[in-house]
């Protein structure tokens, strides 16, 4: 490619970015203009992709971790020929209904591999994608799965703590096919980076086992050489690209003035002159567009050859591969789970639901090979490593269990990447209280509609002595209010199995399983193949005689509700117990069903947590037995007594309302 | 000190730790046993502290970032003579009401400088303490403020992302009096650290500008030499102490088996033999206790000399110093704020509440010298840098504004450290949606009852084009459910000023100010010196005629409620508007007041957020106009229309309930 072609191709990105931001009257022109040279080299010489098949499984993944530079991505998608990324979409940047949202939104258009904007998340996603690539390659062969994952990250991404977790994981797993292009422009919103940060990024990545290079991010030859070298390493690679933010803008280049606002008409005019780009806004000359479209065709033969190779494989492997890609669950899993439920209903063990979860996972991971589990250094406490799961390591990616280390945030972001990559169903664990540590990534699971299962154990004061720092009280409500997130709190082994089933069957949302540390009796003693948890809430024990009282509970407090029911019934007060393992699913049921479950009489809810998410079922008159503030450090029985979460309290709350 | 004395002193810690955990039947013996040598050298030779004056302002700060090793701290406090840390408390480890909670809880006993347990937080706190020390030294002189901050951190702390943010900040500010002792024992819960992490920690810290050393953590001479050297550096120091977890335990030492569970009677017996410690549980021989108590007296003369030096200073300086320590607000601030409120009520500007906040800060920071502000790289967007605030830097700590960089989590943890240190009142900012990035630290502000003000701007879809990744929808409810946390969402400049006042007046809890990006009219046009926001909710406009409808709103939606009221009144329907800037404060009012505000008729709430936290005021019959899921990227007016958050919708919701 002659250097003039490169220059024009890069300038096409710059022009589209500054013009779209100007037209939208908001956005971030500086980053696309600064990284246009790097992106041009990457997309025209290296990236393996086919705009006609955005979901081709073996494409290279490209993650714009610095998501505010969305116009870089949209420009590239348009220029290389993604059909849904029309010029019209670029002109509608940041408008209602456009595919060109302010930050890249997964699912809005082909080629948007993940939603970014919250800084650092993209690096975590990229690590997950690169890990998934290695895990699938170990299963299906390097001739079926063999792609790179590229990410563009800015100073902000690298300042975020999540970047440390992601970088550290990638280095540990020696993800050689992960290449991070660092937009080293020395500028953040507050000004020059040196007002806030003095890290030697190269040394930092090196300390985590990465290969590092530093180049002039405006020199196409240097960029090409650096990426070529990065592709050959056995470790992940960082390429620090020294760039000028807002490259070409006569007065704003190199300043935070070009970061997050339109350049303005005058500055844009000056930029056109400085770049030698005389074309009107949104006009790309034919030969420049042609060069870009040609770049978009580069990998078509490779895609065809890949399809042939896969077709040549044995049928079982092909089937397994495509099942993984489709996200469908392997046949037979439901039968296996039902057999387990039946056995449990008969055996009626007393188990902590975290242990119930492990037993369920023994069944599910054997039946569904796509399941890829892990924990943030609490494997034995979260009970996430099912029988037969081998750990993944840099030396051997054929296993399905991931030791994520003490990195809740990195784990969650990586799980998003694994889910987005396709081919695996990730689940990962920590204590429920530490959902706070990964909440930004949980939110992105929800926003992107990704099937990521969060196994969150030690779900209340029931964990006992570890005390208030470890006892979730507000977390159930705080998670229930997150859109498109299903929070399950099962009360025994049967419900735990059903919660897992409901989580896996929903491939359009994340699920959170809140599980106990302490043992719970089996209350679902009558086997049914129906998944009662999938209704969200149901009558676990109907009242004898007229129902005067409805006691609602989840998880460990169902046992308390059942004891309270006994007392009420003994006094001749008809009381039903409703198990409410998943409010989100219950709220989706029809009005008649909900009415029949909740009843007309007195309602009392009991949950060892704060009340907020129950108010909708309780109204002004319902009673609530639970927590009102932080917990304490003490043995479990003392805690329940101290905080008054007892059957007696439930009975009293019901009776004072009769 | 003869080495036998050191050995016995260290073994006293080991014995107390293993015996207390055994007695409690839960806890973490491994870490205290591993770090006993390091802690003994630190507390007996270096740490400047006086058990008789736990709050002596110029004491060295000691932070146990690896909070699960709480018995290390409790043992040290008992041995050195903190009066409230009796032997009885050690025997009651992890029991209800004991000062010896599972993890160290701030406020439970003298010498517990911060609550730790959630990993990595302690390092962030320590950075804040060390920063506060430098800032106060710049104000009051190095002869008044001159202490070190020590932290013990484990592998878990260093894997957490927050550690990166904290380390990076400390390096940038060249906090030479911060010394982190890394318990480099190579073990985490899941096993050997090498199953999950391969970082070169020394190289990593070096990359962030730290001085680094690696020593044998069981060699008292090496420990002493390393700390002595670390005290001389102009940069923060890391000392990686190679230790054996569970040191002395015959079969469990060096394994994760000693990390988080009692050793068991047999193992304890073997440990006693191996350590040459023949004393009964909880018995410390007189000469060992004597040596420890002597260590506890070491700094008394220094404390006296310090008090003399301060007494010799001019009265203004003394007064300012002690006012800062007391946490009292400087006289005159209320008068200044009232004058501002009066002026605003007259001028009636249309301002975004983030701008209102800046104008309030212009007044407050001039009146209250202790205020120390900052932002996570959004200074211009959060409007947190008031007129006259100079930035803090490694070269000059005399300013009061902190560029925290893109480090929300590190910022929040540092603010906790600043607040705990005393002498400054920290506030810090990011976008409301990114409270998720610092939620674990906000929770600790709340749990510790620290006055930290979180300035959270861009508080709804009202931010417009940046789209769903940046638009908070669940955050108001998710924060309102956090105990001891006050969430303010003011509707104009007057309310913003009042929200700031209420935040500063509450020195026992954090506050969160949710502020708009978009302009809002002044609705509080009649000046009053009374702080109406401090009631949490109040009738902003009473109904004309009988009140049939009560419209409740916060922040930017108060304007919508007022417009809806006009429409209803025009139809002859008496409607009041209640402004509800702080639900937590409203809920604290007496029942009569609350009833009078909420009214008896139809209630409709409007807030550009999810409904959950409103249910308690709405019951089954109330209406809600707000969000039901994630936002979209579009201009603000399109968004409000698209999501139906309009005066018309409020009117309709009211009328269908009449």
């Amino acid at each position: 490619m002659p250097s003039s072609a490169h220059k024009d191709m890069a300038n096409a990105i710059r022009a589209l970015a500054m013009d779209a931001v100007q037209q939208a009257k908001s956005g971030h022109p500086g980053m696309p203009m600064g990284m246009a040279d790097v992106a041009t080299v990457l997309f025209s010489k290296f990236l393996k992709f086919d705009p006609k098949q955005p979901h081709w499984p073996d494409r290279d993944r490209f993650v714009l971790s610095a998501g505010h530079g969305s116009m870089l991505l949209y420009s590239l998608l348009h220029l290389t020929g993604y059909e849904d990324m029309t010029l019209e979409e670029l002109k509608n940047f940041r408008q209602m209904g456009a595919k060109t949202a302010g930050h890249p939104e997964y699912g809005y258009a082909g080629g948007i591999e993940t939603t970014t904007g919250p800084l650092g998340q993209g690096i975590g996603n990229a690590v997950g994608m690169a890990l998934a690539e290695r895990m699938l390659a170990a299963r299906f062969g390097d001739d079926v799965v063999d792609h790179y994952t590229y990410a563009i990250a800015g100073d902000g991404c690298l300042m975020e703590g999540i970047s440390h977790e992601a970088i550290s994981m990638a280095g540990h797993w020696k993800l050689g096919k992960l290449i991070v292009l660092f937009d080293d422009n020395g500028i953040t919103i507050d000004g020059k980076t040196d007002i806030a940060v003095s890290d030697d990024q190269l040394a930092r990545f090196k300390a985590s086992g990465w290969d590092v290079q530093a180049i002039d991010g405006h020199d196409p030859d240097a960029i090409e050489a650096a990426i070529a070298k990065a592709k050959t390493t056995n470790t992940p690679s960082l390429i620090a690209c020294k760039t000028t933010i807002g490259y070409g803008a006569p007065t704003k280049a190199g300043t935070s003035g070009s970061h997050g606002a339109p350049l303005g008409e005058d500055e844009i005019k000056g930029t056109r002159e400085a770049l030698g780009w005389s074309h009107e806004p949104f006009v790309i000359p034919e030969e420049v567009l042609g060069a870009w479209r040609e770049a978009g065709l580069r990998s078509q033969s490779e895609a065809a050859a890949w399809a042939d190779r896969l077709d040549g494989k044995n049928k079982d492997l092909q089937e397994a591969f495509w099942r993984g890609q489709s996200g469908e669950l392997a046949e037979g899993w439901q039968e296996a789970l039902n057999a387990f439920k039946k056995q449990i209903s008969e055996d009626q063990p007393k188990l902590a639901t975290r242990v119930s979860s492990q037993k369920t996972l023994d069944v599910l991971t054997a039946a569904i090979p796509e399941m890829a589990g892990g924990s943030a250094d609490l494997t034995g406490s979260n009970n996430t490593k099912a029988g037969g799961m081998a750990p993944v390591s840099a030396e051997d990616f054929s296993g399905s269990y991931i030791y994520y280390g003490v990195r809740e945030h990195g784990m969650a972001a990586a799980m998003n990447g694994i889910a987005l990559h396709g081919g695996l169903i990730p689940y990962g664990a920590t204590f429920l209280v530490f959902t706070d540590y990964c909440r930004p990534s949980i939110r992105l699971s929800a926003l992107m509609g990704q099937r990521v299962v969060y196994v969150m154990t030690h779900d209340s004061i029931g964990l006992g002595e570890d005390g208030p720092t470890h006892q979730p009280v507000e977390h159930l409500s705080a998670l229930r209010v997150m859109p498109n997130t299903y929070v399950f709190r099962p009360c025994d082994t049967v419900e735990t199995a059903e919660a897992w089933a409901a989580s896996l069957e929903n491939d359009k949302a994340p699920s959170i399983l809140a599980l106990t540390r302490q043992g719970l009796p089996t209350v679902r003693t009558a086997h049914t193949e129906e998944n009662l948890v999938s209704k969200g809430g149901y009558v676990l024990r109907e009242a004898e005689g007229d129902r005067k009282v409805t006691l609602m509970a989840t998880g460990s407090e169902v046992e308390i509700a059942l004891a309270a029911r006994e007392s009420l019934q003994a006094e001749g007060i008809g009381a039903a117990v409703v198990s409410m393992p998943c409010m989100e699913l219950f709220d989706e049921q029809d009005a008649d069903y909900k009415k029949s479950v909740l009843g007309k009489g007195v309602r009392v809810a009991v949950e060892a947590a704060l009340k907020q998410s129950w108010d909708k079922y309780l109204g002004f008159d319902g009673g609530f037995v639970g927590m009102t503030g932080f917990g304490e450090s003490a043995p479990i029985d003392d805690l329940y007594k101290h905080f008054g979460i007892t059957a007696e309290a439930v009975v009293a709350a019901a009776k004072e309302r009769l």
Side-chain angles (χ1 to χ4, degrees), chain A:
Chain A
M1 177 169 60
S3 70
S4 69
H6 167 87
K7 200 176 146 195
D8 283 343
M9 290 170 79
N11 283 340
I13 296 173
R14 293 188 176 103
L16 288 173
M18 70 179 178
D19 289 334
V21 171
Q22 187 67 23
Q23 174 136 329
K25 300 194 194 73
S26 78
H28 302 76
M31 186 281 206
M33 296 172 77
M35 284 298 278
D37 289 309
V38 172
T40 298
V41 172
L42 177 63
F43 272 68
S44 67
K45 301 215 163 182
F46 291 98
L47 197 77
K48 182 172 78 170
F49 70 114
D50 179 359
K52 309 293 174 219
Q53 302 181 65
H55 300 290
W56 170 31
D58 204 40
R59 70 194 181 280
D60 287 344
R61 303 301 195 273
F62 173 72
V63 173
L64 188 72
S65 189
H68 52 275
S70 56
M71 271 309 302
L72 178 70
L73 179 57
Y74 302 148
S75 301
L76 288 162
L77 297 181
H78 171 68
L79 291 167
T80 56
Y82 282 80
E83 280 168 10
D84 53 357
M85 192 53 74
T86 62
L87 204 56
E88 213 48 45
E89 292 289 348
L90 300 190
K91 291 179 184 170
N92 274 324
F93 181 49
R94 294 182 152 234
Q95 304 309 302
M96 184 66 77
K99 297 182 190 303
T100 47
H103 294 81
E105 297 287 342
Y106 176 77
Y108 279 34
I112 301 176
E113 299 281 6
T114 180
T115 294
T116 50
L119 293 173
Q121 297 291 334
I123 303 181
N125 299 161
V127 170
M129 291 172 180
L131 175 63
E133 193 267 349
R134 282 296 82 202
M135 289 174 70
L136 293 176
R139 293 165 183 223
F140 297 106
D142 279 315
D143 52 346
V144 175
V145 183
D146 179 22
H147 70 77
Y148 285 83
T149 300
Y150 297 93
I152 288 182
D155 289 290
C157 292
L158 299 193
M159 275 194 266
E160 290 288 0
I162 189 175
S163 69
H164 168 58
E165 302 181 22
I167 292 164
S168 178
M169 286 193 289
H172 178 70
W173 292 320
K174 295 190 169 60
L175 298 175
K177 295 164 88 176
L178 172 65
I179 298 173
V180 171
L181 302 152
F182 166 33
D183 179 17
D184 185 11
N185 62 27
I187 294 291
T188 63
I189 292 173
D190 274 357
K192 294 198 175 168
T193 48
D194 63 11
I195 69 167
V197 63
S198 307
D199 295 336
D200 177 342
Q201 295 290 2
L202 295 187
R204 176 191 171 206
F205 276 76
K206 221 169 157 181
S208 289
W210 287 53
D211 182 75
V212 298
Q213 303 179 65
I215 59 165
D216 173 354
H218 299 298
D219 175 350
D221 295 334
I223 299 164
E224 185 172 349
I227 298 177
K229 174 172 180 289
K231 287 182 69 173
T232 66
T233 63
N234 295 321
T235 65
S237 291
L238 174 79
I239 304 174
C241 310
K242 187 58 87 180
T243 64
T244 301
I245 189 171
Y247 182 93
T251 73
K252 293 188 176 174
T255 77
S256 57
S258 71
H259 168 83
L263 295 179
E265 295 295 356
D266 286 354
E267 187 79 3
I268 285 178
K269 190 160 166 262
T271 308
R272 286 197 139 73
E273 281 164 20
L275 295 177
W277 183 267
S278 57
H279 319 289
E280 290 298 300
F282 300 107
V283 173
I284 308 294
E286 213 167 294
E287 76 271 19
V288 179
L289 188 61
W292 267 118
R293 289 288 152 92
E294 207 174 298
L297 298 173
R298 258 189 321 111
S299 313
Q300 284 197 329
S301 58
E302 227 175 319
W306 175 86
D308 287 346
R309 282 200 304 278
L310 182 55
D311 281 346
K313 296 281 173 182
N314 75 58
K315 289 293 160 203
D316 284 354
L317 184 145
Q318 287 189 53
E319 222 176 87
F321 181 83
W322 288 115
R323 184 187 63 235
Q325 291 296 315
S326 75
E328 274 167 34
L329 304 176
E331 269 174 47
W333 73 274
Q334 270 166 319
E335 290 72 11
L337 197 69
N338 273 324
F340 172 70
K341 276 173 58 180
K342 187 157 184 291
Q343 190 64 48
I344 289 292
S345 298
E346 286 162 15
D347 296 349
Q348 305 177 11
K350 179 171 181 171
L351 293 175
T353 49
R354 61 180 173 139
V355 177
S356 308
S357 174
Q358 172 140 20
K359 289 183 181 297
T360 306
L361 285 170
D362 287 343
V363 176
L364 289 175
T365 58
I368 305 172
E370 288 78 15
M371 289 181 73
S375 165
D377 195 47
L378 288 166
T379 295
S381 298
N382 298 142
N383 299 77
T384 32
K385 192 158 175 284
M389 291 183 101
V392 164
S393 73
E395 291 69 43
D396 184 357
F397 288 95
S398 66
S400 58
Y401 194 77
I402 301 161
Y403 287 114
Y404 283 107
V406 189
R407 307 183 185 101
E408 300 82 9
H409 204 176
M411 171 178 75
M415 289 201 293
N416 283 338
I418 292 170
L420 288 162
H421 183 278
L424 295 169
I425 302 173
Y427 69 87
T430 182
F431 290 157
L432 181 61
V433 81
F434 299 134
T435 49
D436 283 350
Y437 270 74
C438 48
R439 202 170 156 95
S441 300
I442 298 175
R443 187 174 205 258
L444 284 164
S445 307
L447 185 56
M448 293 193 279
Q450 291 302 299
R451 176 171 52 187
V452 175
V453 184
Y454 294 91
V455 180
M456 298 300 183
T457 70
H458 295 61
D459 70 349
S460 77
I461 55 164
L463 65 85
E465 293 88 342
D466 273 344
T469 54
H470 283 54
Q471 291 163 353
V473 292
E474 74 275 29
H475 297 77
L476 289 170
S477 284
L479 289 164
R480 284 171 181 151
V481 75
M482 193 181 278
N484 198 38
T485 305
Y486 292 78
V487 180
F488 294 89
R489 190 165 187 254
C491 72
D492 72 355
T493 307
V494 174
E495 277 201 358
T496 304
E498 292 180 346
W500 263 110
S503 300
L504 292 175
E505 284 176 317
N506 184 351
D507 65 354
K508 294 280 178 288
S511 297
I512 291 167
L513 306 184
L515 305 172
T516 65
R517 174 175 188 248
Q518 72 271 30
L520 303 180
T522 300
V523 300
R524 285 280 300 282
T525 51
H527 175 62
T528 159
E529 294 216 340
E530 192 188 354
N531 184 335
L532 298 179
V533 167
S534 72
K535 294 186 161 181
Y538 61 96
V539 178
L540 176 65
R541 295 279 187 283
E542 191 45 278
E544 288 168 40
D546 263 10
R547 196 208 289 193
K548 302 276 190 215
V549 172
T550 301
L551 305 176
M552 298 178 275
T554 71
S556 42
E557 285 70 66
V558 167
E559 185 181 1
I560 292 174
L562 288 168
R565 176 184 174 280
E566 292 305 303
S567 297
L568 289 166
Q569 290 286 166
E571 297 188 49
I573 302 168
V577 170
V578 167
S579 181
M580 185 65 80
C582 181
M583 290 186 180
E584 295 80 11
L585 287 173
F586 182 71
D587 293 345
E588 290 172 8
Q589 305 305 310
D590 66 52
D592 284 346
Y593 176 75
K594 285 190 277 190
K595 228 190 309 194
S596 75
V597 170
L598 295 176
K600 287 176 227 161
V602 165
R603 294 181 192 166
V604 176
V606 50
E607 183 169 76
L610 293 169
K611 177 169 173 261
Q612 186 174 277
S613 50
W614 288 95
D615 284 318
K616 63 182 164 187
Y617 303 134
L618 296 174
F620 297 133
D621 301 322
F624 182 74
V625 174
M627 298 293 290
T628 56
F630 291 114
E632 291 285 354
S633 169
I636 175 172
D637 291 345
D638 296 348
L639 288 167
Y640 270 82
K641 212 170 139 187
H642 175 77
F643 290 110
I645 305 174
T646 61
E648 293 72 40
V650 174
V651 168
K655 284 170 72 177
E656 73 190 30
R657 283 170 176 79
L658 279 170

